[in-house]
Amino acid sequence: MESVFYLLDNGLWTGLSLCTNLLSIVSYVLFSLGLYTVAKRRMINHPWLSWIPVANIWILGSLSDQYRYVVRGQNKSKRKVLLTLKIVAVALSVVIVVVCLGAVFNLAAGAVYGMDEEQLFREVFSMLFGVGGLALVTVPVTVVLAVFRYMALYDLYLSFDPENAVLFLVLSIIFAVTEPFFIFFNRQKDRGMPPRAPQQIPTQQAQEPWENPQQ
């Protein structure tokens, strides 16, 4: 009987893990494809960056900047802020992982070579102190990144469908899994963009139009 319960429990967790992984893949494909389609239609340079982790936030920021420039005449640089914050957040996360792995390696080596309790305590304290210090920097950066990202996402939703932009944003914040679906299923909409021919929509060149008021 115990073996039956074990198999059922193991099978349940395996099934949940597979479903989670499948949902993650589907979400990534929908998000990337949706973002790529919008960026290509609106003539954003290098739309293929939509498929690359970290770099895809540049495309999201570029679409936000384009919307602000075309609709409201504002010159923003969300894409630069977003990419910088994303790189910093990823770098800090990598450093935290390296610090933890280094500490674990030192503890394992100490156990093999007979580390005493005082040395063990010192290693653990050093790891906690280092990770805690990095977390004090990582958390604010992550929060600021999330705020700017949702601001850019809101601009994208406004360009899709102004009437439902707030609803889309709220649902995306509460239920993150809905975000890729909103972007994918609205990728052909421009209800919030001014009526103009595709070639008239500002494109991203070496210097974007919204960075040069004389253009």
Side-chain angles (χ1 to χ4, degrees):
M1 183 63 69
E2 291 182 1
S3 60
V4 173
F5 283 118
Y6 173 78
L7 289 175
L8 288 174
D9 182 63
N10 190 50
L12 177 63
W13 285 111
T14 301
L16 288 174
S17 178
L18 289 174
C19 289
T20 301
N21 292 333
L22 180 61
L23 180 60
S24 298
I25 294 173
V26 171
S27 297
Y28 181 79
V29 171
L30 291 180
F31 175 82
S32 300
L33 181 58
L35 203 63
Y36 171 81
T37 303
V38 179
K40 189 174 182 180
R41 283 198 310 104
R42 296 182 184 174
M43 300 181 186
I44 299 295
N45 265 1
H46 312 301
W48 51 268
L49 290 174
S50 302
W51 295 94
I52 302 177
V54 180
N56 56 18
I57 205 165
W58 174 271
I59 299 298
L60 177 61
S62 296
L63 289 169
S64 171
D65 290 340
Q66 185 188 66
Y67 171 81
R68 288 281 170 173
Y69 177 78
V70 172
V71 177
R72 304 188 181 184
Q74 299 173 343
N75 294 316
K76 299 292 183 179
S77 295
K78 280 198 189 77
R79 64 197 181 283
K80 296 178 181 178
V81 175
L82 283 169
L83 185 60
T84 300
L85 289 172
K86 186 70 173 181
I87 291 174
V88 172
V90 170
L92 288 172
S93 299
V94 171
V95 172
I96 289 176
V97 171
V98 170
V99 169
C100 291
L101 290 176
V104 170
F105 177 79
N106 289 336
L107 290 174
V112 172
Y113 293 105
M115 179 185 295
D116 58 39
E117 293 183 0
E118 183 178 349
Q119 290 176 315
L120 180 62
F121 175 79
R122 242 190 335 259
E123 287 293 333
V124 172
F125 180 79
S126 298
M127 180 190 71
L128 294 177
F129 183 78
V131 172
L134 290 170
L136 290 176
V137 180
T138 304
V139 171
V141 170
T142 303
V143 171
V144 174
L145 172 61
V147 171
F148 273 91
R149 188 180 184 281
Y150 283 126
M151 289 170 61
L153 190 63
Y154 181 57
D155 287 338
L156 183 60
Y157 289 157
L158 283 171
S159 72
F160 287 154
D161 187 354
E163 294 182 359
N164 294 307
V166 174
L167 175 62
F168 290 163
L169 180 65
V170 171
L171 290 177
S172 296
I173 294 174
I174 299 175
F175 306 105
V177 69
T178 62
E179 179 185 315
F181 292 90
F182 288 143
I183 294 176
F184 179 78
F185 289 110
N186 289 281
R187 68 191 186 281
Q188 300 293 346
K189 295 181 180 179
D190 290 319
R191 294 174 183 171
M193 299 292 283
R196 57 178 66 201
Q199 63 269 23
Q200 291 179 300
I201 295 178
T203 61
Q204 276 196 286
Q205 305 298 331
Q207 184 177 24
E208 290 81 350
W210 47 84
E211 290 184 329
N212 188 350
Q214 296 181 351
Q215 285 191 342

